[in-house]
């Protein structure tokens, strides 16, 4: 699966977003080394702080299925917006622990995508080895 396919898959995931408050649907898709994909989308709540972002749902779902960072090839995060959607601070902290710092993260919209990683998105990250 190439990055464009992964972006398309993440847009498919965004179809299940539950966004009655923001009306901003986000999709995410983890690509695993075994060729499988794991979807995530944002699920909002009337208590806004209880909302869960698409990328955290996708990475948590992957871990819930028993996969770990070494099993992951890439993560796509998509939304129909400009500039490209970019993970919030909480997601950056979570992803910095659950993804290898060099695992490609594809940020996409309908027209194009860019490839980054956690090292770029969260420099000098706080990780378990710091404890
Ligand atoms: N959101 C995500 O799911 N991922 C991001 O990377 C950015 C923000 C969601 C949270 C909320 O449901 C909506 O987008 C507006 O912030």
């Amino acid at each position: 699966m190439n990055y464009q396919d992964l972006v398309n898959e993440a847009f498919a995931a965004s179809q299940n977003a539950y966004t009655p408050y923001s009306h901003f649907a986000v999709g995410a898709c983890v690509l695993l080394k075994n060729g499988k994909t794991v979807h995530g989308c944002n699920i909002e709540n009337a208590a806004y702080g209880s909302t869960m972002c698409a990328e955290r749902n996708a990475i948590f779902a992957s871990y819930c299925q028993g996969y770990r960072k070494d099993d992951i090839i890439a993560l796509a995060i998509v939304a129909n917006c400009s500039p490209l959607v970019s993970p919030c601070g909480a997601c950056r902290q979570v992803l910095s622990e659950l993804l290898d710092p060099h695992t490609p993260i594809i940020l996409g919209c309908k027209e194009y995508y860019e490839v980054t990683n956690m090292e770029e998105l969260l420099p000098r990250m706080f990780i378990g080895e710091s404890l």
Side-chain angles (χ1 to χ4, degrees), residues 39-69:
H39 285 193
C41 57
N42 51 332
I43 306 294
E44 298 187 342
N45 192 272
Y48 297 167
S50 301
T51 289
M52 184 53 66
C53 294
E55 53 272 58
R56 257 185 292 167
N57 274 331
I59 196 78
F60 285 158
S62 303
Y63 270 65
C64 284
Q65 291 177 35
Y67 298 109
R68 293 294 180 264
K69 61 176 78 172

Side-chain angles (χ1 to χ4, degrees), residues 22 24 26 42 44 51 53-55 85-88:
S22 74
F24 184 72
V26 183
N42 51 332
E44 298 187 342
T51 289
C53 294
E55 53 272 58
V85 68
S86 194
C88 74

